[in-house]
Amino acid sequence: MLLKIENLNVHYGGIHALKGINLNVEKNKIITLIGANGAGKSSTLRAISGLVKSSGGSIIYKGEDITTVKTTEKVKKGITLVPEGRRVFANLTVYENLLLGAYLRNDKKEIESDIEYVYSLFPRLKERVWQHAGTLSGGEQQMLAIGRALMARPELIMMDEPSLGLAPLVVKDVFNIIQEIHKQGMTILLIEQNANAALNIADYGYVLETGKIVLEGPGKELAENEEVKKAYLGS
Amino acid sequence: MTIDAFLQHLANGISLGSLYALIAIGYTMVYGILRLINFAHGEIFMLSTYVALYGVALFTLPWQLAFLLAILITGLMGVLIEKAAYSPLRESPKMSVLISAIGISFFLQNLGLVIFTGRPKTFPRPDFFAKMYDFGGIKIMSLTFVIPIVAAIFLGILVFLVNKTKMGMAMRAVSKDFETARLMGIDVDKVISYTFFIGSALAAVGGIMWGMKFPRIDPLLGLLPGLKCFIAAVVGGIGSITGAVIGGFFLGLGEIMLVAFFPEFSGYRDAFAFVLLIIILLVKPTGIIGEKMTEKV
């Protein structure tokens, strides 16, 4: 097991956002978390990457308890997060954004070849290397955000709603890319509002409701589940 | 006014503007990263003059070494102030940090009064800076030329650091988005320390040259230049380094020219900066080249 979460709790002031969730992420799998707004999906990823402090429970990564480890250290250990809303550095060029993804690495040559690899995944980025990231379209920014996360050479890549606010055609591209990097051996923990698309590519899925996991199972099975269909798939 | 006199004022204005620019950069860099107006920056500037003075006068170091040490020590003091007064308040409301900055400012002024006493001291002016040059009747001290040159050199180094180094890239990233910077593996606290070091070191460069230009120093020295350079940063567009430089020169030249062209207003010399601030806030609150700042979430 690459990542094992046990009884994770998160509080924001008086709000109990995560009420003891258990979650397993197996190596080389796509795992998805679905649920409505405010169900605690983002909080889960933010707690795993250390951006918010958990108020209970444990996060075990490769057999090591990393619950209280700092974000920087987690990146070093191979956990990276593509944040919600893309959050590219608008005042930096596309190239600089990619370099920042490799901030903790010092192998210049390898970094350059990884940048070439990112360009091969996203040819559009190559055309815009010297542009400020703020001038990119939403879809391009999402690609840059994913490319930037890949630059850290992570083992686990977490994505917070990568399809949010994108045109349907671009959403399709993004899901293709997710499958593409998965094929190359990446483990992916994916959050989506677009439950249908997410469950279709996921090996395993969890359904979150007001801070609790209410349902789990293989992606295809969840997609067929009547309750899930009613609540999230709109049929 | 004769052309000679005008050129003399111009030289003075440029040299004063360079000093303002060096000090204003500290405000703008800290604001860019922490959205904090570091009111203690004027006191950092003041301390640098005393460190340099003691280096030369008390420890009788050669001035080159004393000045260099003063720049480094002042830079470290800036880092220390951040660690002691701002860093513990990272998660607190902005207002608390601002009040802490004002507190540190008063603390350092009064600490200065206790340690250095209120009696002004004479800042040393090495011969190298005190040579007089005669240009067909107008006399200009070598310091007047040295100041803009030194300022230009340090500005060049700064531009290189910010735009071409990995730490500079991290600084620009942190100034936009703390959280995402952390996700890249950037140690945000370290970047903040670097920022304070650079800003304070530049204030020391300005302080030392200020001391040679106006050789009477006292513990309240930082007050007015500090406020003026804060204004320069706002006028140029706070958060932007280019803006701070433009604002600094604008203010320095404006002050000197005001007195040159309207000698009857010379008593209002210090008011110029504040009038300028009011005008800029009315006309273009983001400053000359300022961009709209979006609140960081």
Side-chain angles (χ1 to χ4, degrees), chain B residues 19 21-27 29-30 38 41 44-45 47-49 67-79 150-151 154-155 157-158 161 193-209:
Chain B
L19 295 179
L22 283 173
I23 304 165
I25 286 169
Y27 282 105
M29 285 181 79
V30 167
N38 180 14
H41 195 58
I44 291 174
F45 159 81
L47 286 174
S48 76
T49 61
F67 288 0
L68 184 70
L69 278 177
I71 293 169
L72 294 177
I73 291 171
T74 311
L76 291 177
M77 285 195 292
V79 174
V150 171
F154 277 93
L155 289 181
I157 296 174
L158 177 70
L161 281 179
S193 291
Y194 267 88
T195 308
F196 271 83
F197 181 84
I198 293 172
S200 306
L202 288 178
V205 175
I208 290 165
M209 294 195 291

Side-chain angles (χ1 to χ4, degrees), chain B residues 90-165:
Chain B
R90 197 79 82 227
E91 309 298 326
S92 312
K94 298 251 156 69
M95 190 56 81
S96 312
V97 195
L98 194 69
I99 291 167
S100 184
I102 295 171
I104 283 288
S105 168
F106 284 137
F107 170 72
L108 291 176
Q109 282 172 18
N110 289 290
L111 188 72
L113 284 171
V114 171
I115 298 178
F116 311 129
T117 75
R119 194 177 307 139
K121 289 188 163 50
T122 308
F123 195 85
R125 186 190 282 157
D127 294 338
F128 175 75
F129 299 98
K131 288 189 198 115
M132 295 303 280
Y133 292 98
D134 201 322
F135 297 93
I138 56 166
K139 286 207 169 95
I140 296 182
M141 203 195 297
S142 52
L143 183 65
T144 308
F145 299 109
V146 170
I147 289 175
I149 293 170
V150 171
I153 292 170
F154 277 93
L155 289 181
I157 296 174
L158 177 70
V159 169
F160 175 80
L161 281 179
V162 171
N163 291 317
K164 299 284 174 212
T165 64

Side-chain angles (χ1 to χ4, degrees), chain B residues 209-222:
Chain B
M209 294 195 291
W210 185 282
M212 291 193 286
K213 195 171 163 68
F214 310 105
R216 271 165 62 91
I217 61 170
D218 65 65
L220 300 182
L221 173 76

